[in-house]
Amino acid sequence: MRPPSVEAISNAAMSASAATLPIDILRYVDNYLGRWSIALLAAFICLTLLVSLLFKHRMQHNRAQLQSNKEMLATILDSVDAYIYIKSPSLEYQYVNQRMCDLFGLSHDDIIGRRDEVFFDPGSAAEINQVDSDVLESGKKVTVEENNVLKGGARVRTFLSIKMPLVMSPGASPSLCGISTELTDYREMQSRTHYLAFYDSLTGLPNRRLLMESLTAALEHEEWAVSHSALLVIDLDNFRLVNDIQGHECGDQLLISVAEQLRQRLEPEATLARFSSDEFVVLVNNLGEQETEAALKAERIARHLLESIAQLRSSYALPVSASIGISLFSGSDHSMDSVLQQADMALQQAKSSGGNALSFFNTEMQTSVLERASLEADLHQALERNELALHYQVQVDHQGVTTGVEALLRWYHPQRGWVSPATFIPIAEENGLIVPIGYWVLRSACEQLAKWSHQAAYASLTISVNVSSVQFQQPEFVRDVEGLLAVTQAPPGRLVLEVTESLLMREPIRVRNTMLKLRAQGVRFALDDFGTGYSSLSYLKRLPLDELKIDQSFIHELLTDKTDAAIVDTTILLAVSLGLTVVAEGVERKEQLDWLKGHGCYRYQGYLFGRPTPIEYLFETY
Ligand code: C2E
Ligand code: MG
Ligand code: MG
């Protein structure tokens, strides 16, 4: 087969498409690639055309220059940043420029006369042949993006190719002329950018943005308008503790395991995304037209996910659990934001029920959320309107002698009456109001201690004050306590600050320093609700604690539940061996008191001895 001459290529390039080719390429390239490629291709085309024009013109007048012009044109075709080739009607290469030789890693002679099966893997060669045959059959030029793998190469290479039929001599079957530029790096960069924009780099899951797009699609999807979908917001319980205690690397590892666990458990049609730190979101469509049926399915999925997360428990020192909030929706009568907001409210509900739980959004929940919002608004006024009060509950020893009291906060709401601290303290902790409220409690307790210090009958009594971890972690906390002790002249040794286990775990070094500074003033510390959180025995040893308060939940079933009895027994032994006073909370019955006494616990608090009461009735009721 005679290879086409360089003049034939330039002639063909001119006559076949000189007018339209550059415009098409430029338009395509402008759409897909950007300016740098336009410049490159435009330069190439202009150069080719210019040289071929010059060449043609001169050829007629100066045949002596033919050889040097041929070489010049060949040099230009070889040096452009594009693959240029001509294939015969039976698709064997007839001409390739140097870039083609570089691509295949072969010499010119090794390529000419061979078909693409020799250079590309079978799948790629078949695809190339198909496009080439279509061009030759239709007689039309095509612009096509080709993804091919070279023989022996593992990487998919992307080419932007322009292919057109080329009649080499009058009456002959058309050959195929092709010009390709490589887009491999560009496409890889593009897919990486897409990955970074839509996926979470830690877990590889879709991120918030991608999920929001899926959610929008779900809301707009006509077929799904009648069927229900569910949005599940999954949040790990106490994830902060994992980060704080075991370090961020462990935290990351846990998130990866949770992501993997969820991915394995979900049907492939479900969309799973990581929304923020330890929050995952699942979108499940097509749960059925009936709301109850859909709710049951969603509940089953959520339960399944909770169980699978709980299986991670054994791999970590701390148990792993999660809470799930579920919002059911159908059709376009919901906005994306409202679906998410509802699932979030449901999540809060699941969290406040103690975690490792799931909760559905419903209208009652919305009512309770609104109720909470109104309570929060009122709480802002509670201090200045004098609606807060301190009640006191006695603590006694094994001989029935009162050793001190615990100060318990009460809120008398003008419309609602008494509001439990269990209701309003979490709100105050969330919005920061606990700081001024806690300060007020401390001041009242110090004032009371100062008064008692002048009355012989009460001078030895202690007052225990509950300190929220939010309050304790304020930088001014030590200064505030010292200031109050100084101003009120309360004896510091009679003030017991009750802290919870979660505080100790949070920032152990800072917490220890704060405790040590106050301990230096004589202030004492009790660990409240012991047994309900996670305690590390080494912290218990290193912190300046004076008391352990066994949570009332263990005391309630003490006589009937063997596990509770064992926990209480062990706690007493632990406290004794650490040199701490152990106080049993929630003692209501004489039998409980006897059991505790028999097991070495000699301090008690509970309804058996007195309910929390205003100070003026405290010793009357006792
Ligand atoms: P806590 O510190 O564990 O207080 C003991 C709770 O048990 C009190 O509930 C008390 O009324 C209740 N209690 C005492 N004896 C018995 C009993 O024999 N049986 C039963 N069933 N319950 C008993 P209260 O007053 O509702 O306080 C609940 C929680 O609110 C407190 O638990 C404490 O964590 C928090 N709290 C109360 N006052 C304050 C405060 O001034 N600041 C902070 N940060 N938290 C406070
Ligand atoms: Mg307490
Ligand atoms: Mg307690």
Side-chain angles (χ1 to χ4, degrees):
M1 185 184 304
R2 204 169 62 85
S5 65
V6 174
E7 301 94 278
I9 303 167
S10 56
N11 272 339
M14 276 179 65
S15 57
S17 43
T20 58
L21 176 64
I23 295 160
D24 281 0
I25 296 173
L26 294 184
R27 205 175 286 142
Y28 186 87
V29 166
D30 188 29
N31 281 345
Y32 293 97
L33 295 179
R35 298 242 162 119
W36 56 271
S37 304
I38 296 179
L40 180 75
L41 267 172
F44 156 61
I45 290 156
C46 294
L47 263 174
T48 310
L49 294 176
L50 184 67
V51 170
S52 62
L53 275 171
L54 278 173
F55 183 82
K56 222 178 162 188
H57 175 72
R58 290 231 177 160
M59 195 174 59
Q60 288 154 8
H61 302 285
N62 188 359
R63 301 202 66 82
Q65 291 238 311
L66 178 62
Q67 190 55 32
S68 81
N69 282 344
K70 259 183 172 177
E71 280 164 14
M72 190 167 74
L73 188 51
T75 310
I76 290 169
L77 289 173
D78 281 345
S79 60
V80 290
D81 192 12
Y83 305 102
I84 302 172
Y85 47 88
I86 291 181
K87 293 177 192 172
S88 72
S90 48
L91 301 178
E92 286 118 4
Y93 282 97
Q94 287 181 292
Y95 166 80
V96 287
N97 71 346
Q98 185 54 42
R99 285 274 289 158
M100 286 293 281
C101 298
D102 298 344
L103 176 71
F104 296 150
L106 295 169
S107 73
H108 195 265
D109 290 346
D110 289 336
I111 301 172
I112 299 304
R114 297 203 159 85
R115 286 170 51 101
D116 283 308
E117 286 80 358
V118 179
F119 311 112
F120 291 96
D121 77 1
S124 302
E127 278 173 27
I128 297 170
N129 284 340
Q130 186 61 54
V131 175
D132 292 356
S133 306
D134 288 350
V135 170
L136 293 180
E137 255 171 50
S138 68
K140 289 192 180 131
K141 180 185 74 199
V142 297
T143 303
V144 61
E145 189 169 313
E146 299 180 302
N147 291 298
N148 301 323
V149 178
L150 288 166
K151 259 232 162 105
R155 186 182 183 207
V156 176
R157 313 271 297 253
T158 308
F159 302 95
L160 172 62
S161 303
I162 295 159
K163 300 186 174 195
M164 64 206 124
L166 174 66
V167 180
M168 307 290 285
S169 53
S173 304
S175 297
L176 181 120
C177 175
I179 305 170
S180 304
T181 41
E182 184 150 9
L183 306 182
T184 311
D185 290 346
Y186 175 77
R187 285 286 179 249
E188 280 177 1
M189 189 184 74
Q190 214 179 27
S191 68
R192 173 122 196 90
T193 312
H194 179 268
Y195 183 84
L196 289 176
F198 289 101
Y199 290 85
D200 165 46
S201 56
L202 180 71
T203 58
L205 292 179
N207 63 12
R208 186 187 193 99
R209 197 167 150 197
L210 190 51
L211 193 273
M212 293 303 259
E213 287 189 4
S214 306
L215 189 53
T216 314
L219 288 166
E220 284 168 1
H221 207 292
E222 275 180 26
E223 277 174 36
W224 295 338
V226 282
S227 181
H228 283 83
S229 300
L231 189 80
L232 284 67
V233 179
I234 306 166
D235 192 279
L236 295 184
D237 298 328
N238 301 313
F239 178 67
R240 233 189 108 173
L241 282 182
V242 177
N243 267 342
D244 287 355
I245 298 169
Q246 303 192 321
H248 285 259
E249 235 169 74
C250 266
D252 283 356
Q253 205 46 54
L254 176 61
L255 291 173
I256 293 170
S257 310
V258 170
E260 194 44 45
Q261 196 80 319
L262 295 175
R263 200 175 357 222
Q264 279 175 14
R265 294 301 170 113
L266 285 166
E267 298 290 327
E269 304 81 52
T271 309
L272 167 66
R274 182 176 172 218
F275 235 45
S276 59
S277 162
D278 61 331
E279 196 171 272
F280 297 86
V281 173
V282 175
L283 174 65
V284 197
N285 296 313
N286 269 328
L287 289 173
E289 290 181 26
Q290 297 297 322
E291 192 175 7
T292 30
E293 173 204 2
L296 272 175
K297 283 187 189 163
E299 203 237 34
R300 220 168 294 141
I301 295 171
R303 229 166 252 303
H304 212 49
L305 297 180
L306 282 183
E307 282 164 16
S308 75
I309 291 173
Q311 283 174 7
L312 292 170
R313 183 182 296 255
S314 55
S315 340
Y316 293 87
L318 294 177
V320 180
S321 67
S323 302
I324 302 185
I326 307 167
S327 166
L328 274 187
F329 62 97
S330 67
S332 50
D333 52 335
H334 291 79
S335 78
M336 209 163 59
D337 284 342
S338 73
V339 173
L340 257 174
Q341 205 178 22
Q342 292 181 352
D344 263 336
M345 282 186 195
L347 174 69
Q348 294 320 317
Q349 175 92 352
K351 287 257 168 213
S352 56
S353 70
N356 196 17
L358 61 89
S359 178
F360 274 88
F361 173 81
N362 55 35
T363 33
E364 294 96 78
M365 188 185 297
Q366 200 159 23
T367 317
S368 93
V369 168
L370 293 177
E371 172 106 348
R372 185 189 149 109
S374 106
L375 207 60
E376 179 170 0
D378 293 344
L379 190 58
H380 279 277
Q381 326 286 329
L383 248 184
E384 51 197 68
R385 289 189 191 160
N386 278 329
E387 292 166 6
L388 297 181
L390 269 192
H391 286 189
Y392 293 89
Q393 186 180 29
V394 291
Q395 293 176 342
V396 301
D397 68 11
H398 61 295
Q399 292 169 326
V401 177
T402 303
T403 56
V405 295
E406 177 173 3
L408 292 160
L409 191 57
R410 298 290 179 261
W411 176 17
Y412 191 81
H413 187 281
Q415 282 86 43
R416 297 167 201 259
W418 291 109
V419 183
S420 159
T423 308
F424 70 86
I425 283 185
I427 302 178
E429 284 180 331
E430 244 169 59
N431 63 19
L433 273 176
I434 194 67
V435 177
I437 291 177
Y439 184 81
W440 176 86
V441 171
L442 263 172
R443 198 184 64 206
S444 310
C446 287
E447 283 167 356
Q448 190 57 51
L449 277 176
K451 264 190 220 162
W452 280 348
S453 69
H454 303 297
Q455 299 169 264
Y458 306 121
S460 63
L461 296 181
T462 56
I463 296 186
S464 299
V465 174
N466 293 285
V467 181
S468 150
S469 30
V470 178
Q471 186 187 359
F472 195 92
Q473 284 172 307
Q474 293 298 304
E476 310 80 38
F477 184 67
V478 173
R479 213 187 51 208
D480 284 352
V481 178
E482 286 173 350
L484 284 173
L485 288 170
V487 167
T488 58
Q489 289 293 297
R494 305 272 172 251
L495 178 65
V496 182
L497 299 184
E498 291 195 2
V499 295
T500 53
E501 290 165 285
S502 61
L503 170 76
L504 305 188
M505 298 296 122
R506 213 158 277 176
E507 282 180 286
I509 298 174
R510 234 185 82 193
V511 167
R512 181 170 184 268
N513 286 342
T514 306
M515 287 173 86
L516 286 174
K517 280 184 202 152
L518 290 170
R519 169 50 92 75
Q521 305 283 314
V523 175
R524 292 150 73 173
F525 287 96
L527 187 53
D528 203 2
D529 305 338
F530 185 75
T532 56
Y534 306 115
S535 282
S536 146
L537 293 185
S538 68
Y539 290 144
L540 289 188
K541 207 177 111 197
R542 269 188 280 140
L543 293 170
L545 288 170
D546 300 274
E547 275 177 28
L548 270 194
K549 296 186 79 175
I550 307 175
D551 191 66
Q552 51 173 284
S553 58
F554 301 110
I555 308 295
H556 283 166
E557 306 295 324
L558 183 66
L559 303 171
T560 48
D561 188 317
K562 281 195 180 119
T563 319
D564 283 353
I567 292 173
V568 175
D569 196 21
T570 315
T571 308
I572 296 169
L573 291 175
L574 174 75
V576 171
S577 66
L578 290 170
L580 305 174
T581 304
V582 57
V583 182
E585 289 188 287
V587 181
E588 294 181 352
R589 293 163 49 199
K590 174 83 172 48
E591 294 82 357
Q592 293 167 334
L593 173 67
D594 292 341
W595 189 100
L596 289 161
K597 253 188 220 170
H599 286 78
C601 173
Y602 305 121
R603 257 329 145 77
Y604 327 95
Q605 186 181 333
Y607 295 168
L608 183 64
F609 312 98
R611 291 184 176 248
T613 19
I615 192 76
E616 50 275 28
Y617 308 117
L618 183 63
F619 296 107
E620 273 179 24
T621 56
Y622 175 43

